[in-house]
């Protein structure tokens, strides 16, 4: 079986990392898998880049300019919206023609347009589409933030200025998506049961196959290591308990840094002794902007792309916290747990599927900084830490290993092939 995984980036972002890990796992299980990306970043022979920089930038800029004008030239929500009005036609590529199954991953920001998706579906090849967020099930947004419009028909979108229009940009994109999806079958895979439930309630996807399979992780790379040695390698202090926050862009409000700042402040007030014993490490772009915003000492590590250094960072810390306000199945929680690090996060999205409350971490009540503080203090000072760490590793090995995830995807591919054969 030949599978072509289509993703915007090769290495940048959670979806790209998940697609890479899946490709590797499939190849290890007898499937000939390749990735097709807009932005090729390595010399990997199994990754094909479009290598048309000027054109990829044109598709990206054309879409952003269209959205920018619809936002009345305001940057608010500029990168929360995708309308897929510009992108590549990949159906003429040799890799596309040779593939038995086309596997769409995260394909926004100038990779595929709606017209390009329509051509893929019209090719007759079985299509599997992994949902890393809600965009395939909505008109223009990646996260619904409680909006229920996608259950009937997107319109009067909260992300667009003015509100009140039933024929706004979201409704126009919705109608285009529905026209395409109503004519063709797609096997959708959500990365969490939470997102699967959202997909099943979408009027766009009511006639399609939907299941949930988590992202895979390479447990040979992400694994427990000596904490003292890891701290030496990344330059973190040996005499403090360390809290880690990770985000590709730390300033992304959806990742909940404001709640972490509040929780740390409350912890210092309730337990003044932590001021001397505890510190915070921040991994991600713009980390330095928060060096003086937390009540504890902060070690900004910046953006790191080297996987082995990231593993060192996880192994160097005592607890990982991700107070996301809405998230699918964060790779960062999975990575931390694989390294034996207990995790703390809010009860939202797919996070409670990863963190088993008081077994391998702590699930705090949504948007509750007091409970977030309680969870951090419980992990660091009250819980049986060795037991938490052991159960964290066990959870990843059981549920998220590359082998187990790839076998589930192979089953989806076979079902998609069988459906296509039956429908002919």
């Amino acid at each position: 079986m030949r599978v072509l995984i289509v993703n915007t980036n090769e290495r940048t972002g959670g979806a790209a990392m998940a697609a890479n890990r899946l490709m590797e796992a499939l190849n290890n299980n007898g499937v000939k898998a390749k990735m097709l990306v807009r932005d090729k970043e390595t010399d990997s022979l199994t990754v094909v880049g479009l290598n048309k920089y000027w054109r990829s930038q044109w598709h990206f800029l054309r879409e952003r300019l269209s959205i920018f004008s619809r936002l009345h030239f305001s940057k608010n929500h500029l990168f929360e919206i995708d309308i897929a009005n510009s992108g590549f036609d990949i159906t003429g590529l040799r890799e596309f023609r040779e593939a038995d199954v086309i596997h769409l991953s995260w394909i926004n920001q100038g990779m595929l347009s709606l017209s390009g998706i329509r051509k893929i579906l019209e090719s007759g090849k079985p299509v599997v589409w992994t949902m890393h967020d809600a965009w395939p099930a909505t008109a223009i947004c990646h996260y619904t933030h409680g909006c229920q419009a996608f259950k009937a028909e997107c319109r009067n979108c909260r992300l667009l200025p003015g509100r009140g229009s039933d024929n706004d940009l979201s409704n126009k994109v919705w109608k285009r998506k529905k026209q395409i999806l109503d004519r063709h079958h797609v096997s959708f895979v959500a990365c969490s049961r939470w997102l699967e439930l959202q997909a099943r309630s979408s009027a766009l996807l009511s006639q399609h196959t939907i299941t949930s399979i988590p992202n895979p992780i390479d447990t040979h790379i992400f694994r427990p290591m000596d904490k003292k040695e890891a701290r030496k390698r990344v330059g973190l202090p040996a005499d403090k308990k360390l809290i880690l926050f990770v985000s590709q862009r730390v300033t992304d409000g959806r990742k909940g840094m404001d709640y972490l700042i509040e929780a740390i402040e409350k912890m210092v007030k309730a337990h003044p002794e932590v001021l001397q014993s505890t510190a915070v490490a921040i991994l991600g772009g713009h980390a330095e902007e928060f060096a003086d915003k937390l009540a504890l000492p902060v070690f900004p590590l910046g953006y790191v792309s080297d996987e082995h250094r990231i593993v060192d960072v996880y192994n160097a810390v005592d607890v990982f916290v991700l107070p996301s306000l809405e998230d699918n199945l964060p790779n960062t929680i999975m990575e931390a747990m694989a390294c034996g690090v207990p995790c703390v996060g809010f009860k939202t999205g797919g996070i409670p599927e990863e963190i088993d409350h008081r077994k391998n971490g702590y699930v705090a009540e949504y948007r509750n900084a007091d409970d977030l503080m309680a969870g951090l203090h419980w992990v660091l000072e009250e819980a049986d830490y060795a037991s938490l760490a052991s159960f964290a590793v066990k959870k990843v090995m059981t549920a998220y290993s590359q082998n187990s995830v790839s076998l589930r995807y192979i089953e989806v591919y076979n079902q998609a092939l069988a459906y296509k054969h039956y429908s002919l």
Side-chain angles (χ1 to χ4, degrees), residues 83-317:
I83 60 177
N85 66 326
S86 191
F88 292 91
D89 176 6
I90 65 171
T91 57
L93 298 176
R94 176 175 59 84
E95 290 79 13
F96 183 91
R97 296 195 303 269
E98 292 177 348
D100 300 304
V101 176
I102 305 301
H103 184 155
L104 303 183
S105 186
W106 200 86
I107 45 76
N108 296 112
Q109 295 191 358
M111 179 61 186
L112 296 181
S113 65
L114 292 180
S115 297
I117 294 171
R118 175 178 54 78
K119 289 183 179 180
I120 291 169
L121 295 175
E122 288 176 346
S123 74
K125 290 183 181 288
V127 174
V128 173
W129 193 340
T130 293
M131 297 177 61
H132 295 280
D133 53 43
W135 188 82
T138 69
I140 63 175
C141 71
H142 293 272
Y143 288 92
T144 63
H145 296 287
C147 175
Q148 303 294 309
F150 71 99
K151 294 182 178 181
E153 181 175 280
C154 287
R155 57 177 64 190
N156 189 18
C157 182
R158 64 178 179 83
L159 297 175
L160 300 172
R163 299 289 300 262
S165 172
D166 286 342
N167 189 34
D168 63 2
L169 178 63
S170 71
N171 189 249
K172 291 174 181 175
V173 175
W174 173 277
K175 288 176 179 176
R176 285 202 65 198
K177 279 188 173 181
K178 186 166 179 57
Q179 184 181 49
I180 293 168
L181 291 172
D182 280 356
R183 294 178 180 178
H184 305 280
H185 179 266
V186 178
S187 298
F188 286 95
V189 178
C191 294
S192 66
R193 293 189 295 274
W194 165 78
L195 188 56
E196 179 189 1
L197 290 175
Q198 281 201 319
R200 289 186 181 279
S201 66
S202 170
L204 276 180
L205 310 185
S206 59
Q207 299 179 26
H208 297 273
T209 304
I210 304 170
T211 189
S212 63
I213 301 175
N215 291 329
I217 186 169
D218 189 341
T219 52
H220 294 99
I221 295 177
F222 290 88
R223 58 186 176 85
M225 301 169 67
D226 184 88
K227 192 175 297 294
K228 290 182 180 179
E229 292 300 318
R231 289 191 179 191
K232 285 182 183 178
R233 287 192 291 270
V234 297
L236 290 172
D239 61 343
K240 292 189 182 292
K241 293 182 179 180
L242 293 175
I243 299 167
L244 175 66
F245 175 91
V246 177
S247 176
Q248 182 179 348
R249 183 167 52 87
V250 178
T251 52
D252 183 353
R254 183 173 57 85
K255 294 297 183 178
M257 174 56 88
D258 288 345
Y259 284 90
L260 178 58
I261 292 171
E262 185 180 354
I264 295 296
E265 184 178 352
K266 289 176 179 292
M267 186 162 66
V268 170
K269 287 182 178 178
H271 309 280
E273 67 278 5
V274 303
L275 192 56
Q276 301 301 321
S277 65
T278 309
V280 180
I282 303 177
L283 181 65
H286 304 282
E288 67 285 349
E289 295 181 22
F290 294 88
D292 59 352
K293 293 185 179 180
L294 284 88
L296 289 174
V298 173
F299 294 88
L301 302 174
Y303 179 78
V304 176
S305 58
D306 180 74
E307 201 166 48
H308 295 285
R309 184 169 176 80
I310 293 171
V311 171
D312 276 338
V313 173
Y314 283 125
N315 274 281
V317 304

Side-chain angles (χ1 to χ4, degrees), residues 337-350:
M337 290 172 60
C339 295
V341 180
C343 297
V344 177
F346 283 140
K347 188 177 182 180
T348 185

Side-chain angles (χ1 to χ4, degrees), residues 359-401:
K359 190 172 182 180
N360 54 33
Y362 191 97
V363 181
E365 289 302 314
Y366 186 55
R367 290 180 181 265
N368 188 326
D370 288 293
D371 202 24
L372 188 68
M373 179 272 288
L376 289 169
H377 191 265
W378 180 78
V379 170
L380 291 172
E381 305 293 344
E382 303 168 39
D384 181 345
Y385 189 86
S387 176
L388 290 179
S390 176
F391 275 113
V393 175
K394 185 177 180 180
K395 173 67 174 285
V396 172
M397 295 296 291
T398 302
Y400 308 130
S401 71

Side-chain angles (χ1 to χ4, degrees), residues 17-155:
M17 295 305 300
N20 265 280
R21 292 168 184 170
L22 177 60
M23 176 183 66
E24 181 181 347
L26 290 170
N27 283 317
N28 289 336
N29 276 285
V31 174
K32 295 180 179 179
K34 287 185 175 182
M35 273 181 67
L36 175 67
V37 299
R38 185 194 68 188
D39 301 325
K40 182 174 169 63
E41 302 169 53
T42 72
D43 58 0
S44 172
L45 297 177
T46 55
V47 179
V48 179
L50 291 172
N51 293 327
K52 298 174 181 177
Y53 179 81
W54 66 269
R55 192 175 295 175
S56 68
Q57 292 303 301
W58 162 245
H59 290 312
F60 173 78
L61 290 172
R62 181 185 175 193
E63 182 184 36
R64 288 310 109 190
L65 286 170
S66 296
I67 296 169
F68 194 39
S69 66
R70 296 298 186 111
L71 294 175
H72 298 171
F73 303 102
S74 167
K75 291 183 180 180
N76 291 335
H77 310 307
L78 180 59
F79 287 95
E80 295 178 55
I81 295 172
D82 275 296
I83 60 177
N85 66 326
S86 191
F88 292 91
D89 176 6
I90 65 171
T91 57
L93 298 176
R94 176 175 59 84
E95 290 79 13
F96 183 91
R97 296 195 303 269
E98 292 177 348
D100 300 304
V101 176
I102 305 301
H103 184 155
L104 303 183
S105 186
W106 200 86
I107 45 76
N108 296 112
Q109 295 191 358
M111 179 61 186
L112 296 181
S113 65
L114 292 180
S115 297
I117 294 171
R118 175 178 54 78
K119 289 183 179 180
I120 291 169
L121 295 175
E122 288 176 346
S123 74
K125 290 183 181 288
V127 174
V128 173
W129 193 340
T130 293
M131 297 177 61
H132 295 280
D133 53 43
W135 188 82
T138 69
I140 63 175
C141 71
H142 293 272
Y143 288 92
T144 63
H145 296 287
C147 175
Q148 303 294 309
F150 71 99
K151 294 182 178 181
E153 181 175 280
C154 287
R155 57 177 64 190

Side-chain angles (χ1 to χ4, degrees), residues 307-360:
E307 201 166 48
H308 295 285
R309 184 169 176 80
I310 293 171
V311 171
D312 276 338
V313 173
Y314 283 125
N315 274 281
V317 304
D318 299 285
V319 61
F320 175 72
V321 59
L322 186 65
S324 286
L325 305 183
E326 191 169 14
D327 228 324
N328 186 8
L329 198 77
N331 288 335
T332 50
I333 289 179
M334 194 183 301
E335 291 165 356
M337 290 172 60
C339 295
V341 180
C343 297
V344 177
F346 283 140
K347 188 177 182 180
T348 185
I351 290 173
E353 297 173 32
E354 294 179 290
I355 304 174
D356 299 317
H357 186 51
R358 291 181 177 267
K359 190 172 182 180
N360 54 33

